[in-house]
Amino acid sequence: MSDGVVSDESGAPHPSLVFRPATERDHARVVAAIPEWWQTPNSETLPLLLPRLFFQHFGDTSTIVEDGDGELAAFLVGFRSQSQPEVAYVHFVGVRPDLRGTGLARSLYERFFAQVRALGCRRVDAITGPINVRSQEFHRAMGFTLGGDTDVDGVPAYLDYDGPGEHRVTFTRAI
């Protein structure tokens, strides 16, 4: 297709990929992929943001995508808020570099929206660092509103959101 989305003749997106719920067994290969897929100055420490507990406790709302060879193609780790049941949160998303621009991340988000909408959620939140322009552009394109209380490198962000020096841009979207 001309829009870059991998589809079959029927128009179904990503026909050669398998989408399934995450399990604890997926943890090691997901965190191993992060430094390679991100290749940013902080990519070696990024796996620390995704401890095993997310795979143990939020597998039903998290998705693993595998290619035809069973290799990791993408993942989304998200959950419904325990204290705000009408809100869901996307904690971490990754798409293998050779599959970026195919609509796979959009498919993961749309799948997550449907899952949490069925659980009664009306809003989805997420965050990223001010340096992650690609994430900011993607979330804008998906209809998210960016938030922050100060300007960090030309981006609205919250200072020290995740601790000293860990500034974050917030995203929110009604579903």
Side-chain angles (χ1 to χ4, degrees):
M1 295 181 80
S2 61
D3 62 2
V5 175
V6 178
S7 300
D8 64 12
E9 316 73 53
S10 70
H14 316 293
S16 63
L17 300 177
V18 175
F19 291 68
R20 64 169 177 78
T23 69
E24 186 175 354
R25 290 184 312 277
D26 295 310
H27 177 257
R29 72 179 179 154
V30 168
V31 297
I34 292 170
E36 179 186 341
W37 291 8
W38 266 253
Q39 295 184 348
T40 59
N42 65 341
S43 63
E44 291 301 319
T45 59
L46 282 176
L48 298 174
L49 298 175
L50 197 54
R52 183 178 302 274
L53 72 88
F54 285 96
F55 295 81
Q56 293 170 325
H57 299 285
F58 304 115
D60 58 336
T61 53
S62 298
T63 301
I64 296 294
V65 182
E66 296 170 324
D67 64 19
D69 296 323
E71 296 297 319
L72 184 64
F75 64 90
L76 181 147
V77 176
F79 55 90
R80 179 181 182 205
S81 172
Q82 193 73 23
S83 58
Q84 299 177 64
E86 72 284 354
V87 178
Y89 181 78
V90 174
H91 180 66
F92 223 107
V93 179
V95 174
R96 199 170 65 205
D98 65 308
L99 293 170
R100 291 182 185 152
T102 66
L104 183 51
R106 177 176 289 278
S107 293
L108 278 167
Y109 268 74
E110 293 294 342
R111 181 183 180 95
F112 182 72
F113 295 161
Q115 287 175 318
V116 297
R117 194 179 296 116
L119 296 173
C121 295
R122 297 187 316 255
R123 188 179 91 212
V124 173
D125 293 342
I127 63 171
T128 195
I131 194 170
N132 196 339
V133 175
R134 186 172 62 223
S135 176
Q136 294 162 34
E137 290 170 353
F138 171 78
H139 283 89
R140 277 191 189 105
M142 288 292 299
F144 283 83
T145 302
L146 279 69
D149 60 4
T150 192
D151 182 279
V152 176
D153 299 326
V155 177
Y158 291 97
L159 295 178
D160 303 325
Y161 185 94
D162 277 338
E166 298 297 327
H167 315 317
R168 297 291 181 260
V169 178
T170 62
F171 306 108
T172 191
R173 176 188 157 162
I175 56 169

